[in-house]
PDB file of all heavy atoms in Angstrom:
ATOM      1  N   GLN A1156      16.278 -12.890   9.668  1.00 77.00           N
ATOM      2  CA  GLN A1156      14.844 -12.607   9.586  1.00 77.00           C
ATOM      3  C   GLN A1156      14.018 -13.745  10.192  1.00 77.00           C
ATOM      4  O   GLN A1156      12.956 -13.512  10.761  1.00 77.00           O
ATOM      5  CB  GLN A1156      14.444 -12.407   8.123  1.00 77.00           C
ATOM      6  CG  GLN A1156      15.024 -11.156   7.485  1.00 77.00           C
ATOM      7  CD  GLN A1156      14.507  -9.883   8.109  1.00 77.00           C
ATOM      8  OE1 GLN A1156      15.243  -8.924   8.245  1.00 77.00           O
ATOM      9  NE2 GLN A1156      13.258  -9.841   8.490  1.00 77.00           N
ATOM     10  N   SER A1157      14.504 -14.967  10.084  1.00 77.00           N
ATOM     11  CA  SER A1157      13.753 -16.098  10.643  1.00 77.00           C
ATOM     12  C   SER A1157      13.733 -16.068  12.163  1.00 77.00           C
ATOM     13  O   SER A1157      12.874 -16.702  12.782  1.00 77.00           O
ATOM     14  CB  SER A1157      14.368 -17.414  10.168  1.00 77.00           C
ATOM     15  OG  SER A1157      15.675 -17.568  10.701  1.00 77.00           O
ATOM     16  N   ASN A1158      14.664 -15.321  12.785  1.00 70.00           N
ATOM     17  CA  ASN A1158      14.690 -15.210  14.239  1.00 70.00           C
ATOM     18  C   ASN A1158      13.824 -14.077  14.764  1.00 70.00           C
ATOM     19  O   ASN A1158      13.698 -13.916  15.978  1.00 70.00           O
ATOM     20  CB  ASN A1158      16.128 -15.000  14.722  1.00 70.00           C
ATOM     21  CG  ASN A1158      16.978 -16.229  14.506  1.00 70.00           C
ATOM     22  OD1 ASN A1158      16.477 -17.351  14.479  1.00 70.00           O
ATOM     23  ND2 ASN A1158      18.278 -16.024  14.342  1.00 70.00           N
ATOM     24  N   LEU A1159      13.289 -13.261  13.847  1.00 64.00           N
ATOM     25  CA  LEU A1159      12.401 -12.169  14.250  1.00 64.00           C
ATOM     26  C   LEU A1159      10.967 -12.663  14.225  1.00 64.00           C
ATOM     27  O   LEU A1159      10.523 -13.244  13.237  1.00 64.00           O
ATOM     28  CB  LEU A1159      12.565 -10.960  13.323  1.00 64.00           C
ATOM     29  CG  LEU A1159      13.936 -10.275  13.344  1.00 64.00           C
ATOM     30  CD1 LEU A1159      13.949  -9.132  12.345  1.00 64.00           C
ATOM     31  CD2 LEU A1159      14.275  -9.766  14.733  1.00 64.00           C
ATOM     32  N   THR A1160      10.234 -12.420  15.257  1.00 49.00           N
ATOM     33  CA  THR A1160       8.851 -12.867  15.351  1.00 49.00           C
ATOM     34  C   THR A1160       7.924 -11.785  14.844  1.00 49.00           C
ATOM     35  O   THR A1160       8.000 -10.627  15.263  1.00 49.00           O
ATOM     36  CB  THR A1160       8.498 -13.204  16.802  1.00 49.00           C
ATOM     37  OG1 THR A1160       9.415 -14.183  17.277  1.00 49.00           O
ATOM     38  CG2 THR A1160       7.087 -13.747  16.897  1.00 49.00           C
ATOM     39  N   SER A1161       7.034 -12.151  13.927  1.00 44.00           N
ATOM     40  CA  SER A1161       6.061 -11.203  13.392  1.00 44.00           C
ATOM     41  C   SER A1161       4.964 -10.970  14.421  1.00 44.00           C
ATOM     42  O   SER A1161       4.809 -11.732  15.374  1.00 44.00           O
ATOM     43  CB  SER A1161       5.468 -11.758  12.100  1.00 44.00           C
ATOM     44  OG  SER A1161       4.710 -12.909  12.376  1.00 44.00           O
ATOM     45  N   PRO A1162       4.123  -9.896  14.273  1.00 44.00           N
ATOM     46  CA  PRO A1162       3.039  -9.628  15.218  1.00 44.00           C
ATOM     47  C   PRO A1162       2.077 -10.788  15.377  1.00 44.00           C
ATOM     48  O   PRO A1162       1.472 -10.962  16.427  1.00 44.00           O
ATOM     49  CB  PRO A1162       2.350  -8.397  14.618  1.00 44.00           C
ATOM     50  CG  PRO A1162       3.414  -7.729  13.821  1.00 44.00           C
ATOM     51  CD  PRO A1162       4.253  -8.845  13.277  1.00 44.00           C
ATOM     52  N   SER A1163       1.919 -11.612  14.370  1.00 40.00           N
ATOM     53  CA  SER A1163       0.994 -12.731  14.452  1.00 40.00           C
ATOM     54  C   SER A1163       1.588 -13.924  15.173  1.00 40.00           C
ATOM     55  O   SER A1163       0.922 -14.940  15.356  1.00 40.00           O
ATOM     56  CB  SER A1163       0.570 -13.156  13.034  1.00 40.00           C
ATOM     57  OG  SER A1163       1.704 -13.568  12.299  1.00 40.00           O
ATOM     58  N   GLY A1164       2.864 -13.792  15.568  1.00 38.00           N
ATOM     59  CA  GLY A1164       3.493 -14.870  16.306  1.00 38.00           C
ATOM     60  C   GLY A1164       4.270 -15.822  15.451  1.00 38.00           C
ATOM     61  O   GLY A1164       4.808 -16.798  15.948  1.00 38.00           O
ATOM     62  N   THR A1165       4.335 -15.592  14.151  1.00 38.00           N
ATOM     63  CA  THR A1165       5.081 -16.444  13.247  1.00 38.00           C
ATOM     64  C   THR A1165       6.296 -15.704  12.746  1.00 38.00           C
ATOM     65  O   THR A1165       6.382 -14.484  12.831  1.00 38.00           O
ATOM     66  CB  THR A1165       4.213 -16.875  12.054  1.00 38.00           C
ATOM     67  OG1 THR A1165       3.791 -15.702  11.351  1.00 38.00           O
ATOM     68  CG2 THR A1165       3.009 -17.658  12.537  1.00 38.00           C
ATOM     69  N   CYS A1166       7.214 -16.428  12.193  1.00 37.00           N
ATOM     70  CA  CYS A1166       8.451 -15.844  11.675  1.00 37.00           C
ATOM     71  C   CYS A1166       8.339 -15.720  10.171  1.00 37.00           C
ATOM     72  O   CYS A1166       8.348 -16.737   9.469  1.00 37.00           O
ATOM     73  CB  CYS A1166       9.655 -16.710  12.043  1.00 37.00           C
ATOM     74  SG  CYS A1166       9.922 -16.816  13.829  1.00 37.00           S
ATOM     75  N   PRO A1167       8.215 -14.513   9.638  1.00 38.00           N
ATOM     76  CA  PRO A1167       8.068 -14.363   8.198  1.00 38.00           C
ATOM     77  C   PRO A1167       9.368 -14.660   7.486  1.00 38.00           C
ATOM     78  O   PRO A1167      10.446 -14.403   8.008  1.00 38.00           O
ATOM     79  CB  PRO A1167       7.676 -12.888   8.037  1.00 38.00           C
ATOM     80  CG  PRO A1167       8.311 -12.219   9.213  1.00 38.00           C
ATOM     81  CD  PRO A1167       8.259 -13.210  10.336  1.00 38.00           C
ATOM     82  N   SER A1168       9.266 -15.205   6.307  1.00 38.00           N
ATOM     83  CA  SER A1168      10.451 -15.458   5.489  1.00 38.00           C
ATOM     84  C   SER A1168      10.859 -14.192   4.778  1.00 38.00           C
ATOM     85  O   SER A1168      10.105 -13.220   4.715  1.00 38.00           O
ATOM     86  CB  SER A1168      10.164 -16.558   4.459  1.00 38.00           C
ATOM     87  OG  SER A1168       9.226 -16.077   3.507  1.00 38.00           O
ATOM     88  N   LEU A1169      12.055 -14.218   4.240  1.00 36.00           N
ATOM     89  CA  LEU A1169      12.548 -13.048   3.515  1.00 36.00           C
ATOM     90  C   LEU A1169      11.708 -12.774   2.284  1.00 36.00           C
ATOM     91  O   LEU A1169      11.432 -11.626   1.953  1.00 36.00           O
ATOM     92  CB  LEU A1169      14.014 -13.282   3.120  1.00 36.00           C
ATOM     93  CG  LEU A1169      14.813 -12.060   2.711  1.00 36.00           C
ATOM     94  CD1 LEU A1169      14.877 -11.077   3.875  1.00 36.00           C
ATOM     95  CD2 LEU A1169      16.212 -12.466   2.316  1.00 36.00           C
ATOM     96  N   ASP A1170      11.261 -13.837   1.600  1.00 39.00           N
ATOM     97  CA  ASP A1170      10.432 -13.644   0.414  1.00 39.00           C
ATOM     98  C   ASP A1170       9.084 -13.045   0.784  1.00 39.00           C
ATOM     99  O   ASP A1170       8.542 -12.211   0.064  1.00 39.00           O
ATOM    100  CB  ASP A1170      10.234 -14.976  -0.308  1.00 39.00           C
ATOM    101  CG  ASP A1170      11.531 -15.511  -0.863  1.00 39.00           C
ATOM    102  OD1 ASP A1170      12.402 -14.679  -1.178  1.00 39.00           O
ATOM    103  OD2 ASP A1170      11.676 -16.742  -0.961  1.00 39.00           O
ATOM    104  N   GLN A1171       8.530 -13.465   1.944  1.00 37.00           N
ATOM    105  CA  GLN A1171       7.261 -12.897   2.372  1.00 37.00           C
ATOM    106  C   GLN A1171       7.404 -11.423   2.699  1.00 37.00           C
ATOM    107  O   GLN A1171       6.542 -10.610   2.381  1.00 37.00           O
ATOM    108  CB  GLN A1171       6.749 -13.656   3.599  1.00 37.00           C
ATOM    109  CG  GLN A1171       6.280 -15.079   3.301  1.00 37.00           C
ATOM    110  CD  GLN A1171       5.970 -15.839   4.566  1.00 37.00           C
ATOM    111  OE1 GLN A1171       6.486 -15.525   5.636  1.00 37.00           O
ATOM    112  NE2 GLN A1171       5.122 -16.852   4.443  1.00 37.00           N
ATOM    113  N   LEU A1172       8.528 -11.065   3.349  1.00 35.00           N
ATOM    114  CA  LEU A1172       8.755  -9.655   3.643  1.00 35.00           C
ATOM    115  C   LEU A1172       8.849  -8.845   2.364  1.00 35.00           C
ATOM    116  O   LEU A1172       8.336  -7.730   2.272  1.00 35.00           O
ATOM    117  CB  LEU A1172      10.042  -9.496   4.463  1.00 35.00           C
ATOM    118  CG  LEU A1172       9.956  -9.935   5.932  1.00 35.00           C
ATOM    119  CD1 LEU A1172      11.345  -9.914   6.547  1.00 35.00           C
ATOM    120  CD2 LEU A1172       9.007  -9.050   6.716  1.00 35.00           C
ATOM    121  N   SER A1173       9.489  -9.403   1.352  1.00 37.00           N
ATOM    122  CA  SER A1173       9.619  -8.696   0.081  1.00 37.00           C
ATOM    123  C   SER A1173       8.256  -8.481  -0.552  1.00 37.00           C
ATOM    124  O   SER A1173       7.950  -7.410  -1.075  1.00 37.00           O
ATOM    125  CB  SER A1173      10.523  -9.489  -0.863  1.00 37.00           C
ATOM    126  OG  SER A1173      11.792  -9.664  -0.286  1.00 37.00           O
ATOM    127  N   LEU A1174       7.398  -9.508  -0.509  1.00 33.00           N
ATOM    128  CA  LEU A1174       6.084  -9.391  -1.140  1.00 33.00           C
ATOM    129  C   LEU A1174       5.188  -8.435  -0.374  1.00 33.00           C
ATOM    130  O   LEU A1174       4.377  -7.719  -0.951  1.00 33.00           O
ATOM    131  CB  LEU A1174       5.430 -10.778  -1.217  1.00 33.00           C
ATOM    132  CG  LEU A1174       6.113 -11.771  -2.174  1.00 33.00           C
ATOM    133  CD1 LEU A1174       5.460 -13.139  -2.049  1.00 33.00           C
ATOM    134  CD2 LEU A1174       6.021 -11.276  -3.606  1.00 33.00           C
ATOM    135  N   ASN A1175       5.331  -8.408   0.970  1.00 37.00           N
ATOM    136  CA  ASN A1175       4.444  -7.571   1.772  1.00 37.00           C
ATOM    137  C   ASN A1175       4.792  -6.094   1.682  1.00 37.00           C
ATOM    138  O   ASN A1175       3.923  -5.244   1.855  1.00 37.00           O
ATOM    139  CB  ASN A1175       4.511  -8.015   3.241  1.00 37.00           C
ATOM    140  CG  ASN A1175       3.899  -9.378   3.439  1.00 37.00           C
ATOM    141  OD1 ASN A1175       3.069  -9.800   2.639  1.00 37.00           O
ATOM    142  ND2 ASN A1175       4.306 -10.076   4.492  1.00 37.00           N
ATOM    143  N   HIS A1176       6.058  -5.800   1.449  1.00 36.00           N
ATOM    144  CA  HIS A1176       6.486  -4.399   1.510  1.00 36.00           C
ATOM    145  C   HIS A1176       6.832  -3.817   0.152  1.00 36.00           C
ATOM    146  O   HIS A1176       6.951  -2.616   0.019  1.00 36.00           O
ATOM    147  CB  HIS A1176       7.704  -4.261   2.434  1.00 36.00           C
ATOM    148  CG  HIS A1176       7.394  -4.533   3.868  1.00 36.00           C
ATOM    149  ND1 HIS A1176       7.317  -5.810   4.374  1.00 36.00           N
ATOM    150  CD2 HIS A1176       7.121  -3.698   4.906  1.00 36.00           C
ATOM    151  CE1 HIS A1176       7.041  -5.771   5.675  1.00 36.00           C
ATOM    152  NE2 HIS A1176       6.912  -4.495   6.014  1.00 36.00           N
ATOM    153  N   ALA A1177       7.032  -4.631  -0.831  1.00 35.00           N
ATOM    154  CA  ALA A1177       7.422  -4.114  -2.139  1.00 35.00           C
ATOM    155  C   ALA A1177       6.204  -3.967  -3.030  1.00 35.00           C
ATOM    156  O   ALA A1177       5.218  -4.671  -2.893  1.00 35.00           O
ATOM    157  CB  ALA A1177       8.431  -5.062  -2.790  1.00 35.00           C
ATOM    158  N   ALA A1178       6.291  -3.043  -3.942  1.00 34.00           N
ATOM    159  CA  ALA A1178       5.191  -2.817  -4.877  1.00 34.00           C
ATOM    160  C   ALA A1178       5.107  -3.962  -5.868  1.00 34.00           C
ATOM    161  O   ALA A1178       6.084  -4.663  -6.118  1.00 34.00           O
ATOM    162  CB  ALA A1178       5.401  -1.492  -5.611  1.00 34.00           C
ATOM    163  N   PRO A1179       3.930  -4.192  -6.434  1.00 33.00           N
ATOM    164  CA  PRO A1179       3.794  -5.279  -7.405  1.00 33.00           C
ATOM    165  C   PRO A1179       4.748  -5.090  -8.576  1.00 33.00           C
ATOM    166  O   PRO A1179       4.925  -3.992  -9.087  1.00 33.00           O
ATOM    167  CB  PRO A1179       2.325  -5.154  -7.840  1.00 33.00           C
ATOM    168  CG  PRO A1179       1.650  -4.449  -6.711  1.00 33.00           C
ATOM    169  CD  PRO A1179       2.661  -3.518  -6.150  1.00 33.00           C
ATOM    170  N   GLY A1180       5.362  -6.191  -8.963  1.00 34.00           N
ATOM    171  CA  GLY A1180       6.256  -6.141 -10.117  1.00 34.00           C
ATOM    172  C   GLY A1180       7.590  -5.498  -9.839  1.00 34.00           C
ATOM    173  O   GLY A1180       8.293  -5.109 -10.754  1.00 34.00           O
ATOM    174  N   SER A1181       7.959  -5.355  -8.539  1.00 35.00           N
ATOM    175  CA  SER A1181       9.219  -4.680  -8.208  1.00 35.00           C
ATOM    176  C   SER A1181      10.347  -5.679  -8.034  1.00 35.00           C
ATOM    177  O   SER A1181      11.097  -5.628  -7.084  1.00 35.00           O
ATOM    178  CB  SER A1181       9.048  -3.857  -6.924  1.00 35.00           C
ATOM    179  OG  SER A1181       8.663  -4.707  -5.859  1.00 35.00           O
ATOM    180  N   SER A1182      10.461  -6.613  -8.944  1.00 36.00           N
ATOM    181  CA  SER A1182      11.549  -7.584  -8.876  1.00 36.00           C
ATOM    182  C   SER A1182      12.878  -6.953  -9.229  1.00 36.00           C
ATOM    183  O   SER A1182      13.924  -7.506  -8.972  1.00 36.00           O
ATOM    184  CB  SER A1182      11.270  -8.758  -9.828  1.00 36.00           C
ATOM    185  OG  SER A1182      11.128  -8.280 -11.152  1.00 36.00           O
ATOM    186  N   VAL A1183      12.820  -5.802  -9.854  1.00 40.00           N
ATOM    187  CA  VAL A1183      14.029  -5.012 -10.068  1.00 40.00           C
ATOM    188  C   VAL A1183      13.862  -3.694  -9.339  1.00 40.00           C
ATOM    189  O   VAL A1183      12.877  -3.457  -8.674  1.00 40.00           O
ATOM    190  CB  VAL A1183      14.287  -4.755 -11.576  1.00 40.00           C
ATOM    191  CG1 VAL A1183      14.917  -5.945 -12.231  1.00 40.00           C
ATOM    192  CG2 VAL A1183      13.020  -4.367 -12.274  1.00 40.00           C
ATOM    193  N   ILE A1184      14.834  -2.827  -9.484  1.00 41.00           N
ATOM    194  CA  ILE A1184      14.899  -1.633  -8.665  1.00 41.00           C
ATOM    195  C   ILE A1184      13.767  -0.677  -8.984  1.00 41.00           C
ATOM    196  O   ILE A1184      13.391  -0.479 -10.138  1.00 41.00           O
ATOM    197  CB  ILE A1184      16.261  -0.942  -8.872  1.00 41.00           C
ATOM    198  CG1 ILE A1184      17.363  -1.882  -8.373  1.00 41.00           C
ATOM    199  CG2 ILE A1184      16.344   0.374  -8.170  1.00 41.00           C
ATOM    200  CD1 ILE A1184      18.731  -1.391  -8.626  1.00 41.00           C
ATOM    201  N   ASP A1185      13.242  -0.059  -7.935  1.00 44.00           N
ATOM    202  CA  ASP A1185      12.254   1.006  -8.099  1.00 44.00           C
ATOM    203  C   ASP A1185      13.012   2.262  -8.523  1.00 44.00           C
ATOM    204  O   ASP A1185      13.627   2.936  -7.710  1.00 44.00           O
ATOM    205  CB  ASP A1185      11.516   1.234  -6.771  1.00 44.00           C
ATOM    206  CG  ASP A1185      10.434   2.296  -6.889  1.00 44.00           C
ATOM    207  OD1 ASP A1185      10.337   2.926  -7.957  1.00 44.00           O
ATOM    208  OD2 ASP A1185       9.692   2.500  -5.911  1.00 44.00           O
ATOM    209  N   PHE A1186      12.965   2.568  -9.814  1.00 39.00           N
ATOM    210  CA  PHE A1186      13.776   3.673 -10.337  1.00 39.00           C
ATOM    211  C   PHE A1186      13.350   5.019  -9.771  1.00 39.00           C
ATOM    212  O   PHE A1186      14.159   5.909  -9.594  1.00 39.00           O
ATOM    213  CB  PHE A1186      13.707   3.695 -11.860  1.00 39.00           C
ATOM    214  CG  PHE A1186      14.440   2.554 -12.489  1.00 39.00           C
ATOM    215  CD1 PHE A1186      13.791   1.372 -12.797  1.00 39.00           C
ATOM    216  CD2 PHE A1186      15.781   2.640 -12.757  1.00 39.00           C
ATOM    217  CE1 PHE A1186      14.465   0.308 -13.361  1.00 39.00           C
ATOM    218  CE2 PHE A1186      16.476   1.581 -13.325  1.00 39.00           C
ATOM    219  CZ  PHE A1186      15.812   0.414 -13.623  1.00 39.00           C
ATOM    220  N   ALA A1187      12.071   5.176  -9.471  1.00 41.00           N
ATOM    221  CA  ALA A1187      11.616   6.453  -8.917  1.00 41.00           C
ATOM    222  C   ALA A1187      12.236   6.690  -7.540  1.00 41.00           C
ATOM    223  O   ALA A1187      12.667   7.786  -7.211  1.00 41.00           O
ATOM    224  CB  ALA A1187      10.096   6.465  -8.825  1.00 41.00           C
ATOM    225  N   ARG A1188      12.293   5.617  -6.726  1.00 48.00           N
ATOM    226  CA  ARG A1188      12.862   5.748  -5.392  1.00 48.00           C
ATOM    227  C   ARG A1188      14.371   5.921  -5.448  1.00 48.00           C
ATOM    228  O   ARG A1188      14.982   6.458  -4.531  1.00 48.00           O
ATOM    229  CB  ARG A1188      12.503   4.502  -4.570  1.00 48.00           C
ATOM    230  CG  ARG A1188      12.928   4.569  -3.133  1.00 48.00           C
ATOM    231  CD  ARG A1188      12.291   3.433  -2.334  1.00 48.00           C
ATOM    232  NE  ARG A1188      12.583   2.145  -2.931  1.00 48.00           N
ATOM    233  CZ  ARG A1188      13.714   1.485  -2.736  1.00 48.00           C
ATOM    234  NH1 ARG A1188      14.658   2.008  -1.984  1.00 48.00           N
ATOM    235  NH2 ARG A1188      13.925   0.300  -3.294  1.00 48.00           N
ATOM    236  N   SER A1189      15.012   5.462  -6.508  1.00 50.00           N
ATOM    237  CA  SER A1189      16.468   5.557  -6.627  1.00 50.00           C
ATOM    238  C   SER A1189      16.920   6.819  -7.347  1.00 50.00           C
ATOM    239  O   SER A1189      18.086   6.967  -7.642  1.00 50.00           O
ATOM    240  CB  SER A1189      17.003   4.327  -7.371  1.00 50.00           C
ATOM    241  OG  SER A1189      16.604   3.143  -6.727  1.00 50.00           O
TER     242      SER A1189
END
């Protein structure tokens, strides 16, 4: 993930990707999606 360049020109971290795409409080599995 660090080798992938984001649209803003920076390399997002894995934790940032998790926060940007996951719903709030989804530190465990989204049971509805599973």
